[in-house]
Amino acid sequence: MDKGVLVPFVVVILVVKSMVYAMMHIDGKREAKQLNQKLNEYKQGEGHGNEEL
C-alpha cells in the first residue's frame, strides 16, 4: 500500500475508535449512576419494610 493512503486510513481508524471508547465510557458512567440510585432506593425501601414487622 502507498503511504499516502495508509496514514489517513490509520488516522481515521484511531479517531473512530477513540470516539467509540469515549461514548462507551460516558454511557458506562451514566448507567453506573442509575444503578447506584436504584440500589439506594432499594436499600431505603428495605429498611422501612423491616420496621413494619
Side-chain angles (χ1 to χ4, degrees), residues 2-20:
D2 188 20
K3 285 186 179 182
V5 175
L6 185 62
V7 173
F9 185 69
V10 170
V11 170
V12 168
I13 289 174
L14 292 175
V15 168
V16 170
K17 189 170 183 170
S18 299
M19 289 174 54
V20 169

Side-chain angles (χ1 to χ4, degrees), residues 23-47:
M23 286 187 275
M24 287 176 59
H25 181 71
I26 291 168
D27 188 51
K29 287 179 75 173
R30 182 177 52 214
E31 189 172 338
K33 184 177 179 182
Q34 289 175 347
L35 287 171
N36 284 331
Q37 182 180 2
K38 294 290 183 183
L39 182 59
N40 286 335
E41 290 173 6
Y42 175 76
K43 284 182 177 179
Q44 289 174 357
E46 188 178 81

